[in-house]
Every structure is written in C-alpha cells, then in structure tokens.
Amino acid sequence: MGGYRDRSTASLLMIEGYAPEGSKDQQYLRSRVRASLVRDYLIAKFALTPQSTGVMPLGRESAGSPTGAVWDGVALAIFDEAKPKK
C-alpha cells in the first residue's frame, strides 16, 4: 500500500470481489461482501479517502486471473489519472 499512498490523490483504488460458488445472486452478494470488508479495512488501516476507494463485485468472472482459473477472493486494481503528453 506504500506505493499506492504516494499516488492516492490522483488515483482510484478498486477492490474486486470474487465468489465462484452458489447461484448468480449468491455469487454477487458474496463477492460484494468480500470487497466491502476489504475496502473498510484498507480505509481504516491506511487512512484512505472513501471517495477514491470503491468495490466491484464480480461473482465468478475472473478473466485474466494469474492462474487462468476461477478466482475466489479479492483483487486490488489501481487506476491512475492519465498524465498529459508533452
């Protein structure tokens, strides 16, 4: 998180939640709860601003996962503000 905190004023942190088991509704709810718990923890632990920290419940969808398999847990995604080219 140290590297993110240096850039946090110009970036957005998204916590993606994944939960592969159950119906689509259950996957959505579980993945949202997982992401929300991690978001709350990161905001409290690292004094992040809630306005620049969000959640994305993705159920079992895990395109591009490191192992190519279904993901079960959370992932962090940082979106930096684009710098104008000179």
Side-chain angles (χ1 to χ4, degrees), residues 23-63:
S23 68
K24 289 271 188 196
D25 292 342
Q26 291 169 328
Q27 291 171 15
Y28 174 82
L29 293 173
R30 286 183 183 135
S31 61
R32 186 178 70 183
V33 166
R34 287 178 177 183
S36 296
L37 288 170
V38 171
R39 177 183 181 266
D40 292 346
Y41 171 79
L42 292 174
I43 288 171
K45 178 77 174 175
F46 298 101
L48 303 178
T49 59
Q51 297 82 358
S52 64
T53 310
V55 299
M56 178 64 65
L58 294 169
R60 68 179 288 120
E61 302 302 319
S62 56

Side-chain angles (χ1 to χ4, degrees), residues 54 63 78:
I78 299 172

